[in-house]
Every structure is written in C-alpha cells, then in structure tokens.
Amino acid sequence: MADGDSEEQLEKALKSFYKIAASSCATLLDTIADACEISALSSSTSVNNPDNRGTRLSINGQVTMAVKLKPPRGPQNSLAHRSS
C-alpha cells in the first residue's frame, strides 16, 4: 500500500469509528436513555506488514459517554406482566 493509499484508508477508518460512536448515542436514546453525550473519544492506529503478506491497518478506539437512563418502567408496563 502506497503512503497516499495508507493515509486515505486511515481517514476512512477513522470516519467509520466516529460514525459508530455517534450512532451509539442514537441507539441508546432509542432504547434506554433520556440523554446521551459523548464526553471523550480516543483512538490509536497502526499500520504493519506481518510476514510480508500485505499491509494491515488497525484502529482501536474508546468512547466515553455521559448517559442519563430512562426511569424504570413500572410493573404495569413490564413485558413480564402483560397478559395475552
């Protein structure tokens, strides 16, 4: 992989990581959260060529979120107590 290709692949991979982070808040809001805010993001990248079998790009990321959970549902709304 040429240097320009590596940079382009790295940018694509980081964008994917950021999209996943952003959609995680949306998923929480759709399910269990009243509020969600990403408070920190960190990532590390590495490009290596193990055994000369082709370049490998790896990204590790961590997302820290501040989440306000929805209040618990009462027994009348619980799936376990619904009658058919």
Side-chain angles (χ1 to χ4, degrees):
M1 191 182 303
D3 284 341
D5 290 341
S6 294
E7 289 176 21
E8 185 178 321
Q9 290 297 319
L10 176 60
E11 186 175 334
K12 279 181 159 179
L14 284 171
K15 282 183 181 181
S16 292
F17 167 62
Y18 299 145
K19 286 179 183 179
I20 290 168
S23 70
S24 294
C25 255
T27 300
L28 287 167
L29 291 168
D30 284 345
T31 55
I32 62 169
D34 276 338
C36 179
E37 180 180 320
I38 295 173
S39 54
L41 283 172
S42 64
S43 63
S44 62
T45 60
S46 65
V47 179
N48 54 44
N49 188 358
D51 303 326
N52 293 319
R53 296 189 307 185
T55 303
R56 182 175 175 171
L57 171 65
S58 297
I59 293 184
N60 293 312
Q62 182 173 347
V63 181
T64 304
M65 298 177 187
V67 177
K68 179 184 176 197
L69 297 177
K70 292 180 181 179
R73 298 194 300 175
Q76 70 276 10
N77 294 330
S78 153
L79 291 176
H81 291 89
R82 285 190 180 172
S83 58
S84 299

